């Protein structure tokens, strides 16, 4: 009887700050060009996406600031760089459409999360518009209001 590999959680890392700082217009899924040690570190959950952002260079998309910390057992012949710029893989027509949108005023590309799909690591990116300070305050107010309702419901059910 063959032993099954334990299912890895599909979410690797989330960028929670992105939802606070931006309004998401559209979401896209892109593949990532990674090195072997980065995939191993991602399996261990040593990924931080908080300060990440997407840039366009020569008609290609790259993630900057996505930190993948190397494992201590990383190979000796590889020099791991935890904040290496990683290339995103998407169809050419999608990339052209995104570049057109980003060149409009106020749009930016933000990585939302990293997740597993069919054994490959995918990056979900969003076409986003920055929030003003008063919008951020509204977000905090909504979150606190929901928390109060949850507390009231919880204490009511006891």
């Amino acid at each position: 009887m063959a032993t099954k590999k334990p299912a890895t959680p599909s979410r690797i890392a989330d960028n929670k700050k992105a939802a606070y700082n931006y309004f998401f217009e559209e979401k896209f899924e892109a593949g990532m060009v990674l090195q072997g040690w980065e995939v191993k570190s991602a399996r261990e959950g040593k990924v931080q996406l908080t300060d990440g952002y997407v840039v366009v260079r020569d008609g290609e998309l790259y993630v900057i600031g996505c930190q993948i910390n190397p494992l201590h057992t990383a190979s000796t012949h590889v020099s791991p760089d935890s904040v290496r710029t990683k290339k995103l893989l998407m169809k050419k027509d999608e990339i052209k459409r995104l570049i057109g949108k980003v060149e409009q005023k106020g749009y930016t590309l933000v990585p939302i999360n990293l997740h597993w799909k069919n054994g490959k690591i995918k990056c979900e990116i969003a076409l986003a518009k920055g929030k003003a300070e008063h919008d951020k305050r509204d977000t905090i107010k909504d979150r606190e209001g929901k928390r109060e309702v949850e507390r009231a419901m919880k204490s009511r059910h006891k």
Side-chain angles (χ1 to χ4, degrees):
M1 188 167 146
T3 58
K4 257 186 155 176
K5 270 174 69 176
T8 55
S10 67
R11 280 274 162 93
I12 299 169
D14 285 312
N15 188 352
K16 293 180 181 134
K17 240 170 137 180
Y20 176 71
N21 290 328
Y22 299 97
F23 291 117
F24 299 145
E25 301 286 324
E26 289 182 73
K27 293 181 182 180
F28 300 91
E29 188 176 69
M32 288 184 84
V33 177
L34 296 174
Q35 295 177 346
W37 68 269
E38 291 173 319
V39 176
K40 288 180 180 180
S41 293
R43 283 193 199 286
E44 297 295 318
K46 298 193 176 288
V47 181
Q48 184 180 3
L49 203 56
T50 310
D51 299 323
Y53 58 97
V54 179
V55 294
V56 178
R57 285 190 203 142
D58 303 325
E60 295 179 332
L61 301 176
Y62 294 91
V63 174
I64 296 177
C66 168
Q67 189 170 346
I68 300 178
N69 296 319
L71 297 172
H72 296 297
T73 58
S75 178
T76 54
H77 65 278
V78 176
S79 56
D81 178 15
S82 63
V83 289
R84 185 178 73 85
T85 302
K86 294 147 191 78
K87 185 176 175 183
L88 290 176
L89 305 171
M90 290 178 76
K91 292 187 176 161
K92 197 172 270 186
D93 56 326
E94 280 185 332
I95 292 175
K96 283 180 183 172
R97 199 168 75 83
L98 282 176
I99 291 171
K101 293 264 190 170
V102 167
E103 287 171 352
Q104 290 179 16
K105 186 175 170 269
Y107 281 110
T108 187
L109 290 171
V110 188
I112 301 172
N113 69 41
L114 291 180
H115 59 275
W116 293 100
K117 185 173 183 183
N118 299 332
K120 307 257 190 289
I121 295 178
K122 302 288 183 178
C123 180
E124 188 174 1
I125 60 174
L127 186 66
K129 215 171 193 136
K131 283 186 181 178
E133 196 60 42
H134 61 87
D135 293 327
K136 292 179 184 180
R137 284 195 289 267
D138 291 343
T139 304
I140 292 171
K141 209 177 288 179
D142 291 344
R143 190 182 324 135
E144 286 176 355
K146 286 179 186 172
R147 208 175 284 149
E148 288 294 322
V149 169
E150 290 294 320
R151 261 193 223 119
M153 294 297 282
K154 196 174 184 182
S155 64
R156 193 170 170 212
H157 287 288
K158 283 187 177 180

